[in-house]
C-alpha cells in the first residue's frame, strides 16, 4: 500500500507543521476544533488516540485536561518535536508518541474511547488507503466510540487563491494565471483528486485528496461509522483581513468565532472552510451495513 505523497511527507519531516495552529487562519481552526472536541468527548480520563496528530498540539492539550492520550504520526520529525511541548503543559504527559501509519496502529481492538483522525484522510490519496485508515480507527474504538475526522475541501484550493489574486506581484498571487494551476483545481473540484506531485505546479500542498462534506460522510459510512455532523471549522472567517490581529483582540476574536459557529454545520456552505471536521460514532458491524 502506497504511503503519502513524497513532497507532503518531506514537508512534515522538515517541520512545517510546527506553529501552524498558532498563527493566521490556524488560530481559527485550533479554537473551533477545541470547542467541538470539548462538546463531544467523554470525560477524562478517557483514552484518546491522536492518529496523524503531527507534533501533538491537540494531544498535549488533551493530556493537560486529564485524558490518556496516545500520539501517532507518520513523520519522524513530528514525533521528535512532540517532546518540546512538555514544557508548556507542566504535570501533563503523553502515554505514547510513536511513528506509524494510520492504517496499522499497534494497539488492541476496542481500546480507545475516542480517536482524532485529523490528517490522514487528505494525505492518503488512494481511496482504498483512506477506507483502510477509517476501518483501522473502527477496529480500535470501543462500542459507541467517537471519531473526529478532518478533511480539506476542494473549494479551499480555489477560494484561497481568489482571495489573494493579484494582491501583489509575487508568484503566489498570480497562480490563477497559470493554466496548469487551473487544471489541477478543476480536477480537484470534479473528483477530489489534487494531483501536484512534488509541488511542481503550484505552491501549497502536494498531491492530496480533498473532500466535500457529502464525500466525507460517504467514506466514513463505508468504513463503518454513522456521522452526526460535519463542521466547517473556519467558516468564512479565514477570509477576514488581518486575521492574526483580529484573533489577538478578545472582542474581534469572539466576533469572528461567532460567525464560524453561525454557519459551521450548514452543509450548503460548509465547503468555504479550508478544513472540515466530521463527528461520527462507531456503527453496526460492517457485514450488517
Amino acid at each position: 500500500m502506497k504511503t503519502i505523497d513524497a513532497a507532503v511527507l518531506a514537508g512534515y519531516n522538515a517541520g512545517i507543521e510546527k506553529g501552524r495552529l498558532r498563527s493566521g487562519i490556524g488560530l481559527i481552526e485550533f479554537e473551533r476544533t477545541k470547542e467541538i472536541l470539548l462538546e463531544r468527548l467523554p470525560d477524562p480520563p478517557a483514552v484518546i488516540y491522536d492518529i496523524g496528530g503531527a507534533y501533538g498540539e491537540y494531544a498535549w492539550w488533551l493530556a493537560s485536561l486529564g485524558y490518556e492520550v496516545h500520539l501517532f504520526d507518520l513523520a519522524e520529525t513530528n514525533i521528535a518535536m512532540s517532546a518540546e511541548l512538555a514544557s508548556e503543559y507542566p504535570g501533563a504527559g503523553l502515554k505514547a508518541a510513536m511513528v506509524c501509519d494510520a492504517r496499522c496502529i499497534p494497539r488492541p481492538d476496542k481500546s480507545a474511547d475516542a480517536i482524532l483522525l485529523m490528517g490522514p484522510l487528505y494525505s492518503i490519496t488512494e481511496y482504498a488507503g483512506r477506507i483502510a485508515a477509517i476501518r483501522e480507527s473502527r477496529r480500535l474504538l470501543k462500542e459507541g466510540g467517537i471519531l473526529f475526522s478532518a478533511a480539506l475541501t476542494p473549494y479551499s484550493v480555489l477560494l484561497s487563491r481568489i482571495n489573494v489574486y493579484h494582491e501583489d506581484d509575487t508568484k503566489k498571487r498570480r497562480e490563477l494565471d497559470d493554466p496548469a494551476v487551473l487544471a489541477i483545481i478543476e480536477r480537484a473540484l470534479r473528483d477530489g483528486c489534487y494531483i501536484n506531485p512534488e509541488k511542481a505546479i503550484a505552491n501549497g500542498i502536494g498531491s492530496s485528496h480533498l473532500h466535500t462534506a457529502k464525500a466525507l460522510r460517504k467514506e466514513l459510512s463505508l468504513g463503518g461509522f454513522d456521522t452526526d455532523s460535519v463542521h466547517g471549522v473556519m467558516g468564512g472567517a479565514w477570509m477576514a483581513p488581518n486575521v492574526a490581529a483580529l484573533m489577538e483582540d478578545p472582542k474581534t476574536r469572539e466576533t469572528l468565532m461567532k460567525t464560524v459557529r453561525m454557519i459551521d454545520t450548514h452543509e450548503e456552505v460548509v465547503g468555504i472552510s479550508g478544513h472540515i471536521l466530521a463527528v461520527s460514532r462507531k456503527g453496526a458491524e460492517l457485514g450488517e451495513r
Side-chain angles (χ1 to χ4, degrees):
M1 192 176 291
K2 292 181 180 178
T3 186
I4 65 176
D5 179 79
V8 174
L9 183 56
Y12 288 141
N13 272 321
I16 61 170
E17 187 69 12
K18 188 173 184 179
R20 182 183 69 81
L21 296 173
R22 301 186 179 207
S23 64
I25 61 176
L27 294 166
I28 302 170
E29 178 189 340
F30 195 34
E31 179 157 329
R32 182 58 184 145
T33 300
K34 289 194 293 183
E35 289 178 351
I36 296 167
L37 292 176
L38 289 178
E39 289 169 2
R40 302 301 301 272
L41 280 170
D43 293 334
V47 176
I48 300 175
Y49 295 165
D50 189 357
I51 301 175
Y55 70 105
E57 290 278 19
Y58 290 107
W60 277 97
W61 168 69
L62 289 166
S64 74
L65 300 179
Y67 289 98
E68 179 185 313
V69 185
H70 302 238
L71 173 65
F72 306 97
D73 198 83
L74 191 59
E76 293 180 4
T77 297
N78 279 337
I79 294 302
M81 288 193 305
S82 68
E84 298 175 12
L85 291 176
S87 62
E88 298 186 23
Y89 298 98
L94 302 182
K95 185 70 173 181
M98 298 178 59
V99 176
C100 64
D101 192 294
R103 296 160 286 190
C104 187
I105 302 296
R107 291 293 184 273
D109 294 359
K110 301 179 180 179
S111 54
D113 297 291
I115 289 177
L116 277 56
L117 191 68
M118 303 199 314
L121 294 188
Y122 49 84
S123 294
I124 300 172
T125 56
E126 290 182 314
Y127 171 78
R130 294 193 301 277
I131 299 300
I134 294 168
R135 290 183 176 175
E136 178 69 345
S137 289
R138 189 184 189 285
R139 177 187 73 81
L140 295 164
L141 278 170
K142 298 175 183 177
E143 298 302 326
I146 190 165
L147 175 70
F148 300 89
S149 47
L152 299 179
T153 70
Y155 312 106
S156 63
V157 295
L158 175 60
L159 294 176
S160 62
R161 289 175 170 88
I162 294 174
N163 188 240
V164 298
Y165 184 53
H166 279 242
E167 189 174 66
D168 55 38
D169 289 331
T170 61
K171 182 180 179 181
K172 173 70 175 177
R173 304 307 194 249
R174 293 178 176 270
E175 284 188 337
L176 291 180
D177 292 331
D178 185 345
V181 172
L182 289 178
I184 64 172
I185 292 173
E186 288 172 350
R187 171 70 189 274
L189 291 169
R190 186 167 65 250
D191 61 11
C193 296
Y194 185 87
I195 308 301
N196 187 19
E198 305 300 326
K199 300 185 183 179
I201 300 172
N203 292 324
I205 59 175
S207 295
S208 304
H209 190 80
L210 311 180
H211 292 80
T212 61
K214 181 179 179 180
L216 180 58
R217 283 181 179 273
K218 183 176 181 180
E219 289 191 4
L220 290 167
S221 177
L222 290 170
F225 285 91
D226 300 318
T227 297
D228 297 334
S229 56
V230 179
H231 301 260
V233 295
M234 295 191 293
W238 65 270
M239 292 184 281
N242 303 314
V243 166
L246 293 171
M247 291 296 286
E248 285 180 4
D249 180 273
K251 184 176 181 179
T252 53
R253 180 190 187 99
E254 179 52 30
T255 297
L256 273 186
M257 295 309 301
K258 186 176 292 186
T259 70
V260 173
R261 298 181 201 108
M262 285 170 64
I263 64 170
D264 86 331
T265 56
H266 289 235
E267 292 198 12
E268 299 88 347
V269 295
V270 73
I272 67 172
S273 172
H275 283 71
I276 56 177
L277 182 69
V279 183
S280 311
R281 292 278 180 184
K282 182 175 179 176
E285 292 299 322
L286 293 174
E288 301 173 3
R289 299 179 75 82

